[in-house]
Coordinates of all heavy atoms in Angstrom, one line a residue:
Y1 N 99.7 113.2 94.3 CA 100.8 113.3 93.4 C 100.4 113.1 92.0 O 99.4 112.4 91.7 CB 101.8 112.2 93.8 CG 102.6 112.5 95.0 CD1 102.1 112.1 96.3 CD2 103.9 113.1 95.0 CE1 102.8 112.4 97.4 CE2 104.6 113.3 96.1 CZ 104.1 113.0 97.3 OH 104.8 113.2 98.5
F2 N 101.2 113.6 91.0 CA 101.1 113.3 89.6 C 102.5 112.9 89.1 O 103.5 113.5 89.5 CB 100.6 114.5 88.8 CG 100.7 114.3 87.3 CD1 99.9 113.4 86.7 CD2 101.6 115.0 86.6 CE1 100.0 113.2 85.3 CE2 101.7 114.8 85.2 CZ 100.9 113.9 84.6
G3 N 102.6 111.9 88.3 CA 103.9 111.5 87.8 C 103.8 110.9 86.4 O 102.7 110.5 85.9
V4 N 104.9 110.9 85.7 CA 105.1 110.3 84.4 C 106.2 109.3 84.4 O 107.2 109.5 85.1 CB 105.2 111.3 83.3 CG1 104.0 112.2 83.2 CG2 106.5 112.2 83.5
A5 N 106.1 108.2 83.7 CA 107.2 107.2 83.6 C 108.4 107.6 82.8 O 109.5 107.4 83.2 CB 106.6 105.9 83.1
D6 N 108.2 108.3 81.7 CA 109.3 108.7 80.9 C 108.8 109.9 80.1 O 107.6 110.1 79.8 CB 109.6 107.6 79.9 CG 110.9 107.8 79.1 OD1 111.6 108.7 79.5 OD2 111.1 107.1 78.1
A7 N 109.7 110.7 79.6 CA 109.4 111.9 78.8 C 110.5 112.1 77.8 O 111.7 111.7 78.0 CB 109.3 113.1 79.7
R8 N 110.1 112.7 76.7 CA 111.1 113.1 75.6 C 110.9 114.5 75.2 O 109.8 115.0 75.3 CB 110.9 112.1 74.4 CG 111.3 110.7 74.7 CD 111.0 109.8 73.4 NE 111.4 108.5 73.7 CZ 110.6 107.6 74.4 NH1 109.4 108.0 74.9 NH2 111.0 106.4 74.6
G9 N 111.9 115.1 74.6 CA 111.8 116.5 74.2 C 112.2 117.4 75.4 O 112.8 117.0 76.3
S10 N 111.8 118.7 75.2 CA 112.1 119.6 76.3 C 110.8 120.4 76.6 O 110.0 120.6 75.7 CB 113.2 120.6 75.8 OG 112.8 121.3 74.7
G11 N 110.8 120.9 77.8 CA 109.6 121.7 78.2 C 109.2 121.3 79.6 O 109.9 120.7 80.4
R12 N 107.9 121.6 79.9 CA 107.3 121.2 81.2 C 105.9 120.8 81.0 O 105.2 121.2 80.0 CB 107.5 122.4 82.2 CG 106.6 123.6 81.9 CD 106.9 124.7 82.8 NE 105.9 125.8 82.6 CZ 106.0 126.8 81.7 NH1 107.1 126.8 80.9 NH2 105.1 127.7 81.6
I13 N 105.4 120.1 82.0 CA 104.0 119.7 82.1 C 103.4 120.4 83.3 O 103.9 120.2 84.5 CB 103.8 118.2 82.2 CG1 104.6 117.5 81.1 CG2 102.4 117.8 82.3 CD1 104.8 116.0 81.3
E14 N 102.3 121.2 83.2 CA 101.6 121.8 84.3 C 100.4 121.0 84.5 O 99.7 120.6 83.6 CB 101.3 123.3 84.0 CG 102.5 124.2 83.8 CD 102.1 125.6 83.5 OE1 100.9 125.8 83.1 OE2 103.0 126.4 83.6
V15 N 100.0 120.9 85.8 CA 98.8 120.3 86.2 C 97.9 121.4 86.7 O 98.3 122.1 87.7 CB 98.9 119.2 87.3 CG1 97.6 118.6 87.7 CG2 99.9 118.1 86.9
R16 N 96.8 121.7 86.0 CA 95.9 122.8 86.3 C 94.6 122.3 86.7 O 94.1 121.3 86.1 CB 95.9 123.8 85.2 CG 97.3 124.4 84.9 CD 97.2 125.8 84.3 NE 98.5 126.5 84.3 CZ 98.7 127.5 85.0 NH1 97.8 128.0 85.9 NH2 99.9 128.1 84.9
L17 N 93.9 123.1 87.6 CA 92.6 122.7 88.0 C 91.5 123.5 87.4 O 91.6 124.7 87.4 CB 92.5 122.7 89.6 CG 93.6 121.9 90.3 CD1 93.4 122.1 91.8 CD2 93.4 120.4 90.0
D18 N 90.4 122.9 87.0 CA 89.2 123.5 86.5 C 89.2 124.2 85.2 O 88.1 124.4 84.6 CB 88.6 124.5 87.6 CG 88.4 123.8 88.9 OD1 87.9 122.6 88.9 OD2 88.7 124.3 90.0
A19 N 90.4 124.5 84.7 CA 90.5 125.1 83.3 C 91.9 125.1 82.9 O 92.8 125.0 83.8 CB 90.0 126.6 83.4
P20 N 92.2 125.1 81.6 CA 93.6 125.1 81.2 C 94.5 126.3 81.7 O 95.7 126.2 81.8 CB 93.5 125.2 79.6 CG 92.2 124.7 79.3 CD 91.3 125.1 80.5
D21 N 93.8 127.4 82.1 CA 94.5 128.5 82.8 C 94.1 128.6 84.2 O 94.3 129.7 84.9 CB 94.3 129.8 82.0 CG 92.8 130.2 82.0 OD1 91.9 129.3 82.4 OD2 92.5 131.3 81.6
G22 N 93.6 127.6 84.8 CA 93.1 127.6 86.2 C 94.3 127.5 87.2 O 95.5 127.6 86.8
H23 N 93.9 127.2 88.4 CA 94.9 127.1 89.5 C 96.0 126.1 89.2 O 95.8 125.0 88.8 CB 94.2 126.6 90.8 CG 95.2 126.3 91.9 ND1 95.8 127.2 92.6 CD2 95.6 125.1 92.4 CE1 96.6 126.6 93.6 NE2 96.5 125.3 93.4
L24 N 97.3 126.5 89.3 CA 98.5 125.7 89.0 C 98.7 124.8 90.3 O 99.1 125.3 91.3 CB 99.7 126.5 88.7 CG 101.0 125.8 88.5 CD1 100.9 124.8 87.3 CD2 102.1 126.7 88.3
A25 N 98.4 123.5 90.1 CA 98.5 122.5 91.2 C 99.9 121.9 91.3 O 100.3 121.5 92.4 CB 97.4 121.5 91.1
G26 N 100.6 121.8 90.2 CA 101.9 121.2 90.2 C 102.6 121.3 88.8 O 101.9 121.6 87.8
T27 N 103.9 121.2 88.8 CA 104.6 121.3 87.5 C 105.7 120.2 87.5 O 106.3 119.9 88.5 CB 105.3 122.7 87.4 OG1 104.4 123.7 87.4 CG2 106.1 122.8 86.1
I28 N 105.9 119.6 86.4 CA 106.9 118.6 86.2 C 107.8 119.1 85.0 O 107.3 119.5 84.0 CB 106.4 117.2 85.8 CG1 105.7 116.6 87.0 CG2 107.5 116.3 85.3 CD1 105.1 115.2 86.6
V29 N 109.1 119.1 85.3 CA 110.1 119.4 84.2 C 110.8 118.0 84.1 O 111.8 117.7 84.8 CB 111.1 120.5 84.6 CG1 112.1 120.7 83.5 CG2 110.3 121.8 84.9
P30 N 110.3 117.2 83.2 CA 110.8 115.8 83.1 C 112.2 115.7 82.5 O 112.6 116.6 81.7 CB 109.8 115.1 82.2 CG 109.2 116.2 81.4 CD 109.3 117.5 82.2
R31 N 112.9 114.6 82.9 CA 114.2 114.3 82.3 C 114.0 113.0 81.5 O 113.4 112.1 82.0 CB 115.2 114.2 83.4 CG 115.5 115.5 84.1 CD 116.4 115.3 85.3 NE 115.8 114.4 86.3 CZ 116.4 113.7 87.1 NH1 117.7 113.6 87.1 NH2 115.8 112.9 88.0
P32 N 114.5 112.9 80.3 CA 114.4 111.7 79.5 C 114.9 110.4 80.2 O 115.9 110.4 80.9 CB 115.2 112.0 78.3 CG 115.3 113.4 78.2 CD 115.3 113.9 79.6
G33 N 114.1 109.4 80.2 CA 114.4 108.1 80.8 C 114.3 108.0 82.3 O 114.6 106.9 82.8
V34 N 113.8 109.0 82.9 CA 113.7 109.0 84.4 C 112.3 109.3 84.8 O 111.7 110.3 84.3 CB 114.7 110.1 85.0 CG1 114.6 110.1 86.5 CG2 116.1 109.8 84.5
P35 N 111.7 108.5 85.7 CA 110.3 108.9 86.2 C 110.4 110.3 86.9 O 111.4 110.6 87.6 CB 110.0 107.8 87.2 CG 110.8 106.6 86.7 CD 112.1 107.3 86.2
S36 N 109.3 111.1 86.7 CA 109.3 112.4 87.3 C 107.9 112.5 88.0 O 106.9 112.0 87.5 CB 109.4 113.5 86.3 OG 110.6 113.4 85.6
E37 N 107.9 113.2 89.1 CA 106.6 113.4 89.8 C 106.6 114.8 90.5 O 107.6 115.4 90.7 CB 106.4 112.3 90.8 CG 107.5 112.2 91.9 CD 107.5 110.9 92.6 OE1 107.2 109.9 92.0 OE2 107.8 111.0 93.8
T38 N 105.3 115.2 90.9 CA 105.1 116.4 91.6 C 104.0 116.2 92.6 O 103.0 115.5 92.4 CB 104.9 117.6 90.7 OG1 104.8 118.8 91.4 CG2 103.6 117.4 89.9
F39 N 104.1 116.9 93.7 CA 103.0 117.0 94.7 C 102.0 118.0 94.2 O 102.3 119.0 93.6 CB 103.5 117.5 96.1 CG 102.5 117.6 97.1 CD1 101.9 116.5 97.7 CD2 102.0 118.8 97.5 CE1 100.9 116.6 98.7 CE2 101.0 119.0 98.4 CZ 100.5 117.9 99.0
L40 N 100.7 117.7 94.3 CA 99.6 118.5 93.8 C 99.1 119.4 94.9 O 98.5 118.9 95.9 CB 98.5 117.7 93.1 CG 98.9 116.9 92.0 CD1 97.8 116.1 91.4 CD2 99.6 117.7 90.9
R41 N 99.2 120.7 94.8 CA 98.7 121.6 95.8 C 97.3 122.1 95.5 O 97.0 122.5 94.4 CB 99.7 122.8 95.9 CG 101.1 122.4 96.3 CD 102.1 123.5 96.1 NE 102.2 124.0 94.7 CZ 102.9 123.3 93.8 NH1 103.5 122.2 94.0 NH2 102.9 123.8 92.5
G42 N 96.4 122.1 96.5 CA 95.0 122.5 96.3 C 94.1 121.6 95.5 O 93.1 122.0 95.1
A43 N 94.6 120.4 95.3 CA 93.8 119.4 94.5 C 92.9 118.6 95.5 O 93.3 117.5 95.8 CB 94.7 118.6 93.7
N44 N 91.8 119.1 95.9 CA 90.9 118.4 96.8 C 89.5 118.4 96.3 O 89.2 119.3 95.5 CB 91.0 118.9 98.2 CG 90.7 120.4 98.3 OD1 90.5 121.0 97.3 ND2 90.8 121.0 99.5
G45 N 88.7 117.4 96.7 CA 87.3 117.4 96.2 C 87.3 116.9 94.7 O 88.3 116.4 94.1
M46 N 86.1 117.1 94.1 CA 85.9 116.7 92.7 C 86.3 117.9 91.8 O 85.7 119.0 91.9 CB 84.4 116.4 92.5 CG 84.1 115.9 91.1 SD 84.5 114.2 90.8 CE 83.3 113.4 91.7
R47 N 87.3 117.7 91.0 CA 87.8 118.8 90.1 C 88.1 118.3 88.7 O 88.4 117.2 88.5 CB 89.2 119.4 90.7 CG 89.2 119.7 92.2 CD 88.4 120.9 92.5 NE 89.0 122.2 92.1 CZ 89.8 122.9 92.8 NH1 90.3 122.5 94.0 NH2 90.2 124.1 92.3
D48 N 88.0 119.2 87.8 CA 88.5 118.9 86.4 C 90.0 119.2 86.4 O 90.4 120.1 87.0 CB 87.8 119.9 85.4 CG 86.3 119.6 85.2 OD1 85.9 118.4 85.3 OD2 85.6 120.5 84.9
V49 N 90.7 118.3 85.8 CA 92.2 118.4 85.8 C 92.7 118.5 84.4 O 92.2 117.7 83.5 CB 92.8 117.1 86.5 CG1 94.3 117.2 86.4 CG2 92.3 117.0 87.9
Y50 N 93.6 119.4 84.1 CA 94.1 119.7 82.8 C 95.6 119.5 82.8 O 96.3 120.1 83.7 CB 93.8 121.1 82.3 CG 92.3 121.3 82.0 CD1 91.4 121.5 83.0 CD2 91.8 121.1 80.7 CE1 90.1 121.7 82.8 CE2 90.5 121.3 80.5 CZ 89.6 121.6 81.5 OH 88.3 121.7 81.2
L51 N 96.2 118.7 81.9 CA 97.6 118.6 81.7 C 98.0 119.6 80.6 O 97.6 119.4 79.5 CB 98.0 117.2 81.4 CG 97.7 116.2 82.4 CD1 98.1 114.8 82.0 CD2 98.2 116.5 83.8
V52 N 98.8 120.6 80.9 CA 99.1 121.6 79.9 C 100.6 121.5 79.6 O 101.4 121.6 80.5 CB 98.8 123.0 80.5 CG1 99.1 124.1 79.5 CG2 97.3 123.1 80.9
R53 N 100.9 121.2 78.4 CA 102.3 121.0 78.0 C 102.8 122.4 77.5 O 102.1 123.1 76.7 CB 102.4 120.0 76.9 CG 102.1 118.6 77.3 CD 102.3 117.6 76.2 NE 101.6 118.0 75.0 CZ 101.9 117.6 73.8 NH1 102.9 116.7 73.6 NH2 101.3 118.0 72.7
H54 N 104.1 122.7 77.8 CA 104.8 123.9 77.3 C 106.1 123.3 76.7 O 106.8 122.6 77.4 CB 105.1 124.8 78.4 CG 103.9 125.5 79.0 ND1 103.3 126.6 78.5 CD2 103.1 125.1 80.1 CE1 102.2 126.9 79.2 NE2 102.1 126.0 80.2
G55 N 106.3 123.7 75.5 CA 107.5 123.1 74.7 C 107.1 121.9 74.0 O 105.9 121.6 73.7
E56 N 108.1 121.1 73.6 CA 107.9 119.9 72.8 C 108.1 118.7 73.6 O 108.8 117.8 73.3 CB 108.9 119.9 71.6 CG 108.7 121.1 70.7 CD 107.4 121.0 69.9 OE1 107.0 119.9 69.6 OE2 106.8 122.1 69.7
V57 N 107.4 118.6 74.8 CA 107.6 117.5 75.7 C 106.5 116.4 75.4 O 105.3 116.8 75.2 CB 107.5 117.9 77.1 CG1 106.2 118.5 77.5 CG2 107.9 116.7 78.1
E58 N 106.9 115.2 75.3 CA 106.0 114.0 75.1 C 106.3 113.1 76.3 O 107.4 113.0 76.8 CB 106.2 113.3 73.8 CG 106.0 114.1 72.6 CD 106.2 113.3 71.3 OE1 106.4 112.1 71.4 OE2 106.3 113.9 70.3
F59 N 105.2 112.5 76.9 CA 105.4 111.7 78.0 C 104.5 110.4 77.9 O 103.6 110.3 77.2 CB 105.1 112.4 79.3 CG 103.7 113.0 79.3 CD1 102.6 112.3 79.9 CD2 103.5 114.3 78.8 CE1 101.3 112.9 79.9 CE2 102.2 114.9 78.9 CZ 101.1 114.2 79.4
T60 N 104.9 109.4 78.8 CA 104.2 108.1 78.8 C 103.7 107.8 80.2 O 104.3 108.3 81.2 CB 105.1 106.9 78.3 OG1 106.2 106.8 79.2 CG2 105.5 107.2 76.9
Q61 N 102.7 107.0 80.3 CA 102.2 106.5 81.6 C 101.9 107.6 82.6 O 102.5 107.6 83.7 CB 103.1 105.5 82.2 CG 103.3 104.2 81.4 CD 104.2 103.2 82.0 OE1 104.5 103.3 83.2 NE2 104.7 102.3 81.2
P62 N 101.1 108.6 82.3 CA 100.7 109.5 83.3 C 99.9 108.9 84.5 O 99.1 108.0 84.2 CB 99.9 110.6 82.6 CG 99.3 109.8 81.4 CD 100.3 108.8 81.1
R63 N 100.2 109.2 85.7 CA 99.5 108.6 86.9 C 99.2 109.7 87.9 O 100.1 110.5 88.2 CB 100.4 107.6 87.5 CG 100.6 106.4 86.7 CD 101.4 105.3 87.5 NE 101.7 104.2 86.6 CZ 102.4 103.2 87.0 NH1 102.9 103.2 88.3 NH2 102.7 102.2 86.3
F64 N 98.0 109.6 88.5 CA 97.7 110.4 89.6 C 97.5 109.4 90.8 O 97.0 108.3 90.6 CB 96.3 111.1 89.4 CG 96.4 112.2 88.4 CD1 96.1 111.9 87.1 CD2 96.7 113.5 88.8 CE1 96.1 112.9 86.1 CE2 96.7 114.5 87.8 CZ 96.4 114.2 86.5
F65 N 98.0 109.8 92.0 CA 97.9 108.9 93.1 C 97.8 109.7 94.4 O 98.3 110.8 94.5 CB 99.0 107.9 93.2 CG 100.4 108.4 92.7 CD1 101.2 109.0 93.6 CD2 100.7 108.3 91.4 CE1 102.5 109.5 93.2 CE2 102.0 108.8 90.9 CZ 102.8 109.4 91.8
A66 N 97.2 109.1 95.4 CA 97.1 109.7 96.7 C 98.1 109.1 97.7 O 98.4 107.9 97.5 CB 95.7 109.5 97.3
G67 N 98.7 109.8 98.6 CA 99.7 109.3 99.5 C 101.0 109.2 98.8 O 101.3 109.9 97.8
A68 N 101.9 108.3 99.3 CA 103.2 108.2 98.7 C 103.1 107.5 97.3 O 102.3 106.6 97.1 CB 104.1 107.3 99.6
P69 N 103.9 108.0 96.4 CA 103.8 107.5 95.0 C 104.4 106.1 95.0 O 105.3 105.7 95.7 CB 104.7 108.4 94.2 CG 105.6 109.1 95.2 CD 104.8 109.1 96.5
L70 N 103.8 105.2 94.1 CA 104.2 103.9 93.9 C 105.3 103.9 92.7 O 105.2 104.7 91.8 CB 103.1 103.0 93.5 CG 102.0 102.8 94.5 CD1 100.8 102.0 93.9 CD2 102.5 102.1 95.7
P71 N 106.3 103.0 92.8 CA 107.3 103.0 91.7 C 106.6 102.6 90.4 O 105.7 101.8 90.3 CB 108.3 102.0 92.1 CG 107.6 101.2 93.2 CD 106.5 102.0 93.8
F72 N 107.1 103.2 89.3 CA 106.7 102.8 88.0 C 107.3 101.5 87.6 O 108.5 101.2 88.0 CB 107.2 103.8 86.9 CG 106.3 105.1 87.0 CD1 106.8 106.2 87.7 CD2 105.1 105.2 86.3 CE1 106.0 107.4 87.7 CE2 104.4 106.3 86.3 CZ 104.8 107.4 87.0
D73 N 106.5 100.6 87.0 CA 107.0 99.3 86.6 C 107.9 99.4 85.3 O 107.7 100.1 84.5 CB 105.9 98.3 86.3 CG 105.1 98.1 87.5 OD1 105.6 98.2 88.6 OD2 103.9 97.9 87.4

């Protein structure tokens, strides 16, 4: 999983593997003041990970985690 604690602005965050235009593993369309998360598809083994922002979205506390996500503090 990948998640962010909070986001401002509008747009989306793409999680891409191996290159900024590589395999799309997940997408978050965050809502202000609400934690957002996505399951990552095809993200196994040792990979380079790119967070690609589209629009004017800013976010805090990015987290990657295996299994069920933990709540943000």
Side-chain angles (χ1 to χ4, degrees):
Y1 285 87
F2 170 70
V4 296
D6 187 18
R8 291 180 183 78
S10 62
R12 70 184 187 277
I13 304 164
E14 295 178 346
V15 181
R16 296 210 170 246
L17 302 177
D18 302 320
D21 61 350
H23 171 75
L24 178 61
T27 302
I28 291 178
V29 179
R31 295 176 294 152
V34 179
S36 301
E37 60 196 34
T38 185
F39 178 75
L40 300 179
R41 296 166 304 279
N44 53 3
M46 182 82 70
R47 311 289 289 269
D48 291 329
V49 177
Y50 292 81
L51 301 179
V52 181
R53 295 183 308 158
H54 294 275
E56 297 295 321
V57 63
E58 295 180 12
F59 56 91
T60 61
Q61 297 181 19
R63 294 185 183 177
F64 291 92
F65 37 89
L70 298 173
F72 285 95
D73 297 329

